[in-house]
Amino acid sequence: MRPVYMITGGITRFAKAHPDKDFRLMVKEAFEYALADLPGLDRDLIDGSVCSYFSDHFTRQPMAGAMVQDYLGLCPKPSRRVEGGGATGGLCFQAAWEAVASGRMEVCLAMGFETMSRVNTWKGNEFIALASDTNFDYPVGGFYTGYYAMMVRRHMHEFGTTLEQMAKVAVKNHRNALHNSYAQQPALLSVADVRGSSMVATPLTILDCCQMSDGAAVAILASEEVAQRLCQQPVRITGIGSGTDAMRMADRPHGEVPLLPHETAEEYRDLRYPGVHSFRGGRMAAKLAYRMAGIIDPGRELDFAEIHDAYTSSEIQTYEDLGFCRYGQGGRFVDAGAPFMANLDYGLTFSGEGTWPRLPVNPSGGLLACGHPVGATGLMQAVFAFWQLQGSIARHLGDAALQLPDPKKGLIHSHAGTGTYITVTVMERV
Amino acid sequence: MNTDAKLPETEEGTILFNTDPIIVKDHYEIDYLHSYAQDSPFFAGLAGKKLLGSRCIGCGYTYATPRGHCMGCGAPTSWVELPQEGRVHTYTTCHFGGEAFLKETPFTLVLVEFDSVDTLFLSRLIGAEPDEVRIGMPIRARFRRNCQFKPTDVYFVPL
């Protein structure tokens, strides 16, 4: 396989509803933004595309990817759709990487969207829940927030994770998004605001959960030759990994933790893993991506991460899968202030525990504050990571607050089901 | 040939929510002929107030939620009757839900763990207030008298 670079990207603002634009026009807007940001790249240089959207129910238009392809003027070039629940965007990005890495394409467009406003929230929840086992899980619970609530209840039981630690994740991500003009729900919140908001599924309140959105995002990947020729600041994709787990969370076994290079079996001797408190697929995805990228200790080598925080609880669970901290320490990692931006005031005091160096997680605001138009989300993360590594945040957001001083390595993470499909991708400044 | 041909006019109209842009109501529904296939004995068991799991004939791994073949070794499984008493492994009370479940809210979900069974079983818990539910709490199965051949034919109550 040959080196692959991201050379440009674009996103629409994520919003509760964009009734004035259908999915084709939303993708077109993100696409035109990406082209405008890279003079020298035009449609003729794009060899093909991969399209990302989760649910045919939301669009009520099977083959919607084909309609985007022709709307963008890319016919008769190759295209296909990738789908994998909440991880659809991450899988799409990796599929575009494969197209370039294999030599099949020089330039590949990864494009994604979701138009979730086309049904009421409770109908949307039903569509999402239909992506659980429809024989055994959907008819009993029919609600993903309920599944995640059960997972974090067990995490709290096993590890002592607290509601306040979860709320701090919401405070962080909404606060970060105050500097992101693309975000759906920027806000200055307190822990009390999060705990005092409407209860959705105990212990998760509405501010512990991401919102449904309309939105689109694109990322354009290219070979080294094209990246060097066209792009002043390409970003290299140095690690690709993905993993899976049993569709029914009730089936998750107990076994040994797949270890990352900086961990030992001894430290997890008493941990029954993964059960419903951890995501084995995420650990697998991280392990593969770190191996390819040559990362030994992710918490010290990465400069930031954009992770799939559909719930405050799943952000905490994911720190552990990704090896930012040990399994069971996700709550303390939050209390220590490690995943917060150094330059922003969150109205919180941190424990000062020096175990972990600062590793900002979801500087964009993540899904919690940006919204979660499923097929666009993983690609939105890629675009923010790209801008972050380029140092171009101020130009794209009109605000430099979210720009890290000197980021060299970033991680994006996309997650489906109750951890059923997970992708991890490492991106590096060149 | 009829150069004066006209479609019939009807009294029905389109339900319009908005005019700029035009947003209309668009209804869609479907009936599936859904087969439980190899999982069918589980649902038949519910009608007889039996909770059936499956046990791998190769490695003996026992599944609370049945599956026809073992996830670990790939061998076929055989049907086994699960205990009807277990414990709460984890729980939540849903105050919101998908459209089909809104009228049932709030409802409590539990993952049930059974002695000598390797995996868990998702079910509803009734008869306990949300703040009375605890991890490790003993619970027992009850069955609907009129079977609907759905996994909600079995539910749990405090022991």
Side-chain angles (χ1 to χ4, degrees):
Chain A
M1 285 180 293
R2 58 183 185 159
V4 180
Y5 294 79
M6 181 165 170
I7 55 171
T8 188
I11 49 181
T12 65
R13 197 170 77 80
F14 288 1
K16 178 71 187 163
H18 278 308
D20 50 328
K21 300 167 204 167
D22 73 2
F23 59 93
R24 298 170 302 172
L25 180 52
M26 282 194 281
V27 178
K28 169 91 170 161
E29 277 189 13
F31 180 59
E32 295 291 349
Y33 189 96
L35 290 183
D37 200 44
L38 186 59
L41 178 67
D42 59 39
R43 284 185 303 183
D44 293 344
L45 289 172
I46 295 172
D47 296 313
S49 71
V50 187
C51 188
S52 159
Y53 62 101
F54 157 55
S55 179
D56 295 303
H57 299 311
F58 280 115
T59 26
R60 191 153 141 44
Q61 175 59 68
M63 293 267 279
M67 295 175 71
V68 177
Q69 178 80 354
D70 78 50
Y71 201 77
L72 299 188
L74 294 173
C75 294
K77 293 171 180 178
S79 184
R80 70 180 186 275
R81 175 206 184 168
V82 167
E83 190 279 313
T88 299
L91 290 165
C92 175
F93 190 77
Q94 296 195 346
W97 177 88
E98 285 159 8
V100 177
S102 67
R104 185 181 173 197
M105 294 185 192
E106 291 299 312
V107 180
C108 185
L109 166 67
M111 55 185 186
F113 68 86
E114 211 77 44
T115 48
M116 306 176 83
S117 70
R118 271 48 173 179
V119 295
N120 288 320
T121 300
W122 45 93
K123 196 69 180 174
N125 274 307
E126 184 175 307
F127 288 165
I128 293 165
L130 284 166
S132 61
D133 183 315
T134 56
N135 278 7
F136 290 98
D137 286 357
Y138 174 77
V140 178
F143 192 33
Y144 258 98
T145 310
Y147 304 153
Y148 275 85
M150 284 189 283
M151 292 182 134
V152 75
R153 182 72 79 185
R154 191 70 199 184
H155 197 276
M156 294 165 74
H157 175 79
E158 299 268 351
F159 303 128
T161 310
T162 66
L163 301 175
E164 290 70 26
Q165 289 165 341
M166 289 156 56
K168 286 176 190 173
V169 173
V171 171
K172 170 174 71 70
N173 294 359
H174 287 276
R175 170 71 184 85
N176 290 351
L178 282 170
H179 301 281
N180 179 0
S181 48
Y182 289 97
Q184 178 175 340
Q185 208 175 37
L188 188 57
L189 301 173
S190 66
V191 167
D193 291 333
V194 179
R195 290 316 305 163
S197 64
S198 310
M199 187 56 71
V200 179
T202 56
L204 298 174
T205 69
I206 196 161
L207 287 173
D208 284 304
C209 309
C210 69
Q211 306 296 303
M212 291 189 209
S213 310
D214 284 1
V218 308
I220 300 181
L221 308 190
S223 65
E224 187 161 271
E225 188 275 315
V226 173
Q228 283 180 348
R229 180 157 51 87
L230 294 184
C231 188
Q232 301 278 323
Q233 299 164 291
V235 165
R236 187 164 168 182
I237 300 156
T238 54
I240 291 276
S242 66
T244 57
D245 212 334
M247 177 64 147
R248 296 190 295 246
M249 66 172 173
D251 293 4
R252 303 284 163 85
H254 285 114
E256 290 178 6
V257 178
L259 297 175
L260 295 173
H262 68 301
E263 297 175 327
T264 63
E266 178 62 21
E267 60 201 276
Y268 293 134
R269 197 182 44 191
D270 300 324
L271 180 64
R272 299 174 72 227
Y273 178 87
V276 297
H277 53 69
S278 300
F279 304 118
R280 186 171 51 152
R283 177 49 70 111
M284 176 59 115
K287 198 172 159 133
L288 293 171
Y290 295 158
R291 187 159 69 199
M292 190 186 292
I295 290 175
I296 304 297
D297 186 346
R300 295 178 187 280
E301 294 176 50
L302 293 167
D303 297 302
F304 69 93
E306 290 285 344
I307 72 176
H308 192 98
D309 56 330
Y311 302 95
T312 54
S313 53
S314 59
E315 178 164 321
I316 290 175
Q317 291 167 283
T318 297
Y319 299 147
E320 302 172 1
D321 302 320
L322 298 180
F324 297 171
C325 57
R326 299 287 192 266
Y327 274 109
Q329 297 181 334
R332 280 173 51 203
F333 186 72
V334 174
D335 282 337
F340 290 75
M341 298 285 283
N343 59 326
L344 299 181
D345 180 6
Y346 297 88
L348 299 171
T349 50
F350 300 120
S351 67
E353 187 176 359
T355 309
W356 303 284
R358 196 177 286 271
L359 170 54
V361 176
N362 289 322
S364 69
L367 283 59
L368 284 169
C370 291
H372 183 25
V374 182
T377 303
L379 296 171
M380 172 274 279
Q381 294 172 324
V383 175
F384 274 110
F386 175 73
W387 291 345
Q388 191 67 259
L389 291 163
Q390 273 196 326
S392 63
I393 288 281
R395 179 156 57 85
H396 293 289
L397 303 185
D399 183 335
L402 300 179
Q403 180 66 59
L404 295 164
D406 187 28
K408 295 183 178 65
K409 288 185 191 179
L411 175 150
I412 57 175
H413 162 271
S414 201
H415 173 118
T418 47
T420 316
Y421 291 142
I422 301 182
T423 71
V424 169
T425 304
V426 178
M427 298 168 68
E428 294 185 32
R429 194 173 75 198
V430 289
Chain B
M1 302 278 271
N2 177 4
T3 57
D4 211 21
K6 283 183 180 170
L7 282 174
E9 296 298 331
T10 70
E11 295 290 309
E12 293 98 54
T14 299
I15 296 175
L16 202 60
F17 287 157
N18 196 46
T19 55
D20 183 21
I22 291 175
I23 298 176
V24 301
K25 185 169 183 174
D26 207 359
H27 184 72
Y28 179 74
E29 65 179 52
I30 190 164
D31 288 317
Y32 284 97
L33 302 178
H34 180 73
S35 172
Y36 285 128
Q38 73 271 15
D39 293 336
S40 296
F42 169 82
F43 295 92
L46 295 177
K49 301 193 185 324
K50 283 186 179 162
L51 193 53
L52 295 181
S54 49
R55 179 170 295 142
C56 177
I57 62 169
C59 66
Y61 199 82
T62 306
Y63 296 91
T65 317
R67 54 172 63 226
H69 289 82
C70 180
M71 197 163 51
C73 72
T77 58
S78 60
W79 291 98
V80 290
E81 199 170 337
L82 297 173
Q84 296 200 357
E85 293 181 3
R87 292 172 303 282
V88 172
H89 183 78
T90 188
Y91 64 96
T92 184
T93 299
C94 295
H95 295 269
F96 192 67
E99 186 174 36
F101 301 93
L102 278 183
K103 60 185 182 301
E104 299 168 32
T105 57
F107 55 83
T108 295
L109 297 174
V110 289
L111 285 174
V112 189
E113 58 179 47
F114 302 101
D115 284 339
S116 306
V117 176
D118 295 295
T119 71
L120 307 169
F121 184 78
L122 173 65
S123 195
R124 296 274 185 102
L125 176 73
I126 65 168
E129 293 301 316
D131 62 2
E132 293 177 321
V133 188
R134 293 282 178 272
I135 287 176
M137 184 172 123
I139 51 178
R140 70 180 170 90
R142 295 191 74 159
F143 297 84
R144 282 187 206 271
R145 186 162 49 83
N146 296 322
C147 193
Q148 298 174 344
F149 298 96
K150 290 182 174 176
T152 43
D153 287 340
V154 62
Y155 53 96
F156 284 75
V157 296
L159 183 62

